Amino acid sequence: MQNEPTSLTTPSKEYIYAGSRLVATEEPCVLTLSSTCAFYPLSGRPGSASITTGAGCTWSVTVPNWVLLTSAASGSGNDTLTYEVRENFTGSARQGLISVGSQTLAITQDS
């Protein structure tokens, strides 16, 4: 199952002083994944990657249809992405991307 498109938001605060409105934006949300690529055998297996970002920064995940997401499909702040690459019955190697925010984890599976 594929999830909604990835997104990141930048936290902001609004202040009103003497009738004037000021919106202060915090540092932009920067997200990093602990891995950028992973290789899996024909039989498949579980995988994971650490998500690192600011406490108020939200994110969501998309996966190929042959990958089962076993952790949260969205969240905020740091977390661990866990998934399972399913067995490959296609007869040929396959490649796909797991996306978290603007970052991707390229996965390749043997045939």
Side-chain angles (χ1 to χ4, degrees):
M1 179 175 114
Q2 285 215 324
N3 299 309
E4 293 298 313
T6 59
S7 64
L8 290 176
T9 59
T10 302
S12 63
K13 295 180 181 176
E14 182 176 327
Y15 301 93
I16 298 177
Y17 178 75
S20 296
R21 180 174 172 240
L22 170 69
V23 177
T25 302
E26 297 177 11
E27 290 296 313
C29 290
V30 176
L31 183 142
T32 58
L33 292 176
S34 61
S35 301
T36 57
C37 63
F39 300 91
Y40 295 92
L42 166 75
S43 60
R45 69 164 203 226
S48 66
S50 296
I51 300 168
T52 306
T53 190
C57 300
T58 60
W59 46 264
S60 60
V61 180
T62 59
V63 298
N65 63 359
W66 45 276
V67 174
L68 174 65
L69 186 60
T70 57
S71 61
S74 62
S76 65
N78 299 337
D79 208 340
T80 300
L81 166 69
T82 59
Y83 56 91
E84 175 129 5
V85 175
R86 296 177 178 154
E87 188 169 359
N88 187 353
F89 295 109
T90 67
S92 58
R94 56 188 175 184
Q95 297 179 325
L97 294 175
I98 295 175
S99 298
V100 183
S102 62
Q103 300 298 305
T104 57
L105 169 57
I107 51 176
T108 302
Q109 187 177 25
D110 287 337
S111 58

